[in-house]
C-alpha cells in the first residue's frame, strides 16, 4: 500500500490521528497542496478528484475518501476498533462521522474556500473552476456556531461521542474544531462540556 497525503491539511490529519492511535504504519508520499501538487498529471491519474488523502492498495485499488480509508484499515488491522465494538456502535460511529462532516467540516470549508484569496475560482475541490460565493461564507459561520452548540449539548451527558471509548468520530470532531481555528471560529466559552471533552481527547491522542 502507498498513501498520498499532506500532513497540514484537515482530512489528512483525520487519517494521521487514526493511524497513530491504531498503531498502523504505511509508506506515504506528501502531495504539497500549497504548490498545486494535487493537480500534477501523475497524481490526477491516481485520483482525478485531486484530493488527499488517497490510498493505493496492493492490488491497485484506490480509496480517496478519508472515512473509507480509515474504515478499511480499521477492519484489516488488529487491535481496538475505532469504529465501535458492536454492529450498532459501528453504525452509530459512521452516522456521527457523517454528521460531523456535513454539519461541521463543510461549514468551515465554506468559509475558507469562499473568502481566502488562494481559493479564488477554486471554491470547490477538483480541477474545474468554481467562483467564490461570499454568502456561503456567511452561512458557514452561522452553521459552525450551531454545530458547536449542538456538540456541547450532546456531550453534556457523555464521555465520548459514541460508546465508552474513543472512536473515529472523536478524532473527526477534534480535527473539525481545530480546522475552524483556521477561519477564526472557536467554540464559545459557554460550551463547557465540549471544552472538557476536547481536553480529554487531546490527551488520549497525545496532542
Amino acid at each position: 500500500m502507498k498513501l498520498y497525503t499532506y500532513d497540514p491539511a484537515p482530512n489528512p490529519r483525520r487519517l494521521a490521528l487514526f493511524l497513530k492511535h491504531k498503531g498502523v504504519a504505511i509508506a506515504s508520499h506528501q502531495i504539497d497542496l500549497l504548490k498545486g501538487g494535487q493537480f500534477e498529471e501523475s497524481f490526477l491519474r491516481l485520483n482525478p478528484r485531486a484530493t488527499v488523502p488517497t490510498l493505493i492498495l496492493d492490488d491497485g485499488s484506490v480509496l480517496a475518501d478519508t472515512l473509507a480509508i480509515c474504515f478499511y484499515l480499521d477492519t484489516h488491522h488488529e487491535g481496538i476498533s475505532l469504529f465501535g465494538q458492536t454492529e450498532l456502535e459501528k453504525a452509530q460511529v459512521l452516522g456521527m462521522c457523517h454528521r460531523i462532516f456535513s454539519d461541521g467540516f463543510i461549514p468551515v470549508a465554506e468559509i475558507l474556500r469562499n473568502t481566502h484569496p488562494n481559493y479564488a475560482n477554486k471554491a470547490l475541490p477538483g480541477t474545474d473552476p468554481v467562483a467564490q460565493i461570499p454568502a456561503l461564507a456567511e452561512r458557514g459561520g452561522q452553521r459552525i456556531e450551531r454545530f458547536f452548540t449542538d456538540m456541547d449539548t450532546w456531550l453534556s451527558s457523555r464521555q465520548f461521542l459514541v460508546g465508552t471509548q474513543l472512536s473515529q468520530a472523536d478524532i473527526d470532531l477534534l480535527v473539525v474544531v481545530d480546522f475552524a481555528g483556521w477561519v477564526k471560529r472557536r467554540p464559545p466559552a459557554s460550551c463547557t462540556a465540549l471544552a472538557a471533552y476536547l481536553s480529554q481527547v487531546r490527551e488520549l491522542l497525545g496532542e
Side-chain angles (χ1 to χ4, degrees):
M1 290 188 292
K2 186 170 184 179
L3 174 66
Y4 294 83
T5 189
Y6 183 61
D7 289 341
N11 274 318
R13 187 174 176 227
R14 294 166 63 199
L15 175 57
L17 289 175
F18 164 87
L19 293 173
K20 177 183 175 182
H21 196 68
K22 184 79 173 178
V24 176
I26 300 177
S28 64
H29 176 75
Q30 294 290 311
I31 300 295
D32 194 332
L33 303 185
L34 295 181
K35 295 181 179 179
Q38 71 274 35
F39 301 120
E40 293 181 3
E41 188 61 35
S42 58
F43 182 67
L44 288 175
R45 284 197 295 268
L46 299 173
N47 179 6
R49 293 168 58 202
T51 59
V52 289
T54 296
L55 180 66
I56 312 300
L57 304 184
D58 292 338
D59 66 358
S61 299
V62 178
L63 294 176
D65 296 285
T66 306
L67 190 60
I69 294 172
C70 292
F71 185 78
Y72 176 86
L73 294 174
D74 192 72
T75 59
H76 283 75
H77 288 83
E78 296 180 352
I80 296 175
S81 173
L82 285 171
F83 283 84
Q85 304 307 302
T86 67
E87 294 304 314
L88 175 59
E89 281 191 359
K90 292 180 189 299
Q92 290 172 329
V93 170
L94 290 171
M96 183 59 72
C97 288
H98 176 74
R99 176 180 174 184
I100 291 166
F101 191 83
S102 62
D103 295 356
F105 189 97
I106 290 179
V108 177
E110 284 182 338
I111 300 170
L112 179 65
R113 286 186 167 272
N114 288 286
T115 58
H116 199 286
N118 285 356
Y119 293 101
N121 213 34
K122 298 178 182 177
L124 289 175
T127 58
D128 295 331
V130 179
Q132 292 177 321
I133 303 175
L136 287 179
E138 181 179 354
R139 186 184 70 175
Q142 296 170 353
R143 292 181 65 197
I144 197 63
E145 289 179 10
R146 184 174 66 182
F147 175 73
F148 288 149
T149 301
D150 288 346
M151 289 294 98
D152 183 69
T153 299
W154 182 260
L155 289 162
S156 63
S157 59
R158 297 172 175 83
Q159 183 180 9
F160 298 102
L161 288 171
V162 176
T164 59
Q165 65 183 37
L166 185 135
S167 73
Q168 186 63 38
D170 300 300
I171 290 175
D172 285 3
L173 179 53
L174 174 65
V175 171
V176 166
V177 170
D178 288 349
F179 182 32
W182 290 23
V183 292
K184 297 181 172 55
R185 300 300 201 281
R186 294 175 177 80
S190 59
C191 292
T192 55
L194 177 57
Y197 158 86
L198 290 170
S199 178
Q200 171 194 235
V201 172
R202 289 187 197 281
E203 183 176 354
L204 288 172
L205 292 172
E207 287 288 287

